[in-house]
Amino acid sequence: MRRTGGLVLLALGVFFVVLAPLLRFWAADRLVHAPADQDSTTELSAPNARYFSVADMKVLTGNLAITVTTRGDTAESAGDHVVWDQFTNVNDVTNERRGISFSLFRSAFNKYDGTGVNCCQVNVDKTPVRLQGQIFLFPFGVEKKTYPVYNPAAKQAFPAEFAGEEVLDGLRVYRFVQKIPPTVTDTLKVPATVLGMKGKGDKQAERVYDGTTTFWVEPETGLPVKQEQRRHEVLKTGDGVERTPALVGTATYTPETVGSLVRTARDNMNQIALLKTTIPLVSLIVGLAFLLVGGWLMRPERPERPERPERFEYSEQPS
């Protein structure tokens, strides 16, 4: 019975010792990924932004409140990729203009490293696009290097260069800076008077976008916990003259959004530590304990000493 118990413990010990590195280097990497059922709301503010108001047919200056809603499409998410739909709504708080801008972005990306996947009718405002680079997330285990990051407004990826480390709400983050060169995002007909040009009728103009986007990324999870977008969008005519602003301003995550994302990053870090460190370490310790006890039970038993025969003293009886 003792030997049988020892064999069982030795087998369990080998199992848990072998399981530990599998959990650490294989299973954990497959279990840590972006969710298919994402459901989040991000708020940004852009004080003193200038934009062309279609309703007023002139440029207005105001504080903009930007709401970004992101939801996962679980039906289309499969295998190594997830599909997220993002809706952005911009309101002018100062001039009480609601819905001055709407945009839709349907994306698909690898759930393990965050890089774009071209499937599932990905598009920007219903226009099909080809995704490149990081989409919403940086990869798990972010490195201090340059990453291509997709910009939905320009419909292409641009390099985001590592620019240093910072501490944000007590959380260590990497800062990446992405510069978007002047890029034509649309061609449209605009009344000459709106463009400040002489004559009647419409003139053809290009909407040209350039700017700088800064990302503050928690390196273990790849989650951007803060973002700043410096946008410079103008209407230019064919002669290259900048005629009127379309949207000029700096939008930044609100403190409430940053705080919420920092908490999310911490929760994700704890889950990663549990999968990559705590559970494998417990498995290793349990395995070694089983091996130790099993080896002790399997040791040879000492042979029992034979009992000494009783010694009898004989004495001669006198006859």
Side-chain angles (χ1 to χ4, degrees):
M1 185 66 182
R2 176 175 173 175
R3 185 176 181 82
T4 301
L7 286 172
V8 171
L9 289 178
L10 285 175
L12 288 173
V14 171
F15 171 76
F16 281 108
V17 169
V18 172
L19 182 63
L22 289 177
L23 290 171
R24 170 63 181 85
F25 297 107
W26 183 80
D29 288 340
R30 304 306 294 175
L31 292 172
V32 177
H33 58 74
D37 59 349
Q38 175 74 8
D39 189 352
S40 63
T41 300
T42 304
E43 303 284 349
L44 300 90
S45 62
N48 299 315
R50 300 173 64 218
Y51 71 96
F52 181 80
S53 170
V54 176
D56 298 278
M57 294 300 287
K58 65 179 182 179
V59 175
L60 297 180
T61 299
N63 297 331
L64 306 185
I66 305 164
T67 302
V68 182
T69 304
T70 307
R71 291 194 174 91
D73 186 342
T74 55
E76 290 290 335
S77 300
D80 288 351
H81 74 268
V82 293
V83 178
W84 288 5
D85 291 310
Q86 187 181 79
F87 175 69
T88 302
N89 176 34
V90 183
N91 297 314
D92 179 353
V93 178
T94 303
N95 300 293
E96 299 183 344
R97 300 289 192 276
R98 298 183 62 82
I100 65 171
S101 174
F102 300 99
S103 63
L104 295 168
F105 176 36
R106 180 173 176 82
S107 70
F109 60 92
N110 185 290
K111 64 184 181 182
Y112 299 113
D113 64 19
T115 55
V117 175
N118 289 289
C119 72
C120 315
Q121 298 82 49
V122 295
N123 67 80
V124 174
D125 295 328
K126 303 301 182 180
T127 300
V129 294
R130 184 165 185 80
L131 300 181
Q132 299 172 311
Q134 307 301 134
I135 305 303
F136 289 106
L137 306 171
F138 283 65
F140 295 100
V142 179
E143 299 179 48
K144 299 177 180 180
K145 67 177 188 179
T146 298
Y147 290 91
V149 178
Y150 188 79
N151 184 290
K155 300 184 180 67
Q156 56 184 297
F158 299 97
E161 299 180 354
F162 175 75
E165 292 187 37
E166 294 184 16
V167 176
L168 192 63
D169 287 359
L171 186 71
R172 182 176 66 98
V173 295
Y174 290 175
R175 180 165 50 88
F176 292 88
V177 178
Q178 178 190 56
K179 295 185 182 298
I180 297 95
T183 304
V184 177
T185 60
D186 199 6
T187 301
L188 57 159
K189 295 288 187 179
V190 183
T193 53
V194 170
L195 297 174
M197 301 177 69
K198 295 180 180 180
K200 297 181 180 180
D202 295 337
K203 299 290 185 180
Q204 182 169 294
E206 293 180 333
R207 184 168 181 141
V208 181
Y209 164 56
D210 68 272
T212 301
T213 302
T214 304
F215 306 90
W216 286 264
V217 182
E218 194 292 306
E220 288 187 39
T221 62
L223 177 66
V225 297
K226 182 180 177 182
Q227 188 179 133
E228 178 189 83
Q229 304 173 11
R230 295 184 180 182
R231 299 174 68 103
H232 181 258
E233 295 183 71
V234 297
L235 297 182
K236 287 185 177 182
T237 47
D239 55 6
V241 176
E242 183 178 310
R243 297 293 177 176
T244 185
L247 175 59
V248 178
T250 300
T252 308
Y253 283 2
T254 63
E256 294 77 14
T257 290
V258 172
S260 175
L261 289 171
V262 166
R263 289 191 295 272
T264 298
R266 292 190 189 279
D267 290 342
N268 292 347
M269 290 167 65
N270 290 335
Q271 293 178 19
I272 291 173
L274 179 68
L275 291 170
K276 288 194 170 185
T277 303
T278 305
I279 294 178
L281 183 59
V282 169
S283 177
L284 179 62
I285 292 173
V286 170
L288 292 175
F290 280 162
L291 288 174
L292 183 63
V293 176
W296 182 80
L297 291 175
M298 290 293 293
R299 77 191 194 286
E301 296 185 15
R302 294 181 180 179
E304 296 183 2
R305 291 185 177 182
E307 294 185 2
R308 289 185 176 184
E310 293 185 9
R311 296 179 63 183
F312 296 94
E313 293 184 5
Y314 295 92
S315 59
E316 293 184 0
Q317 297 295 328
S319 53

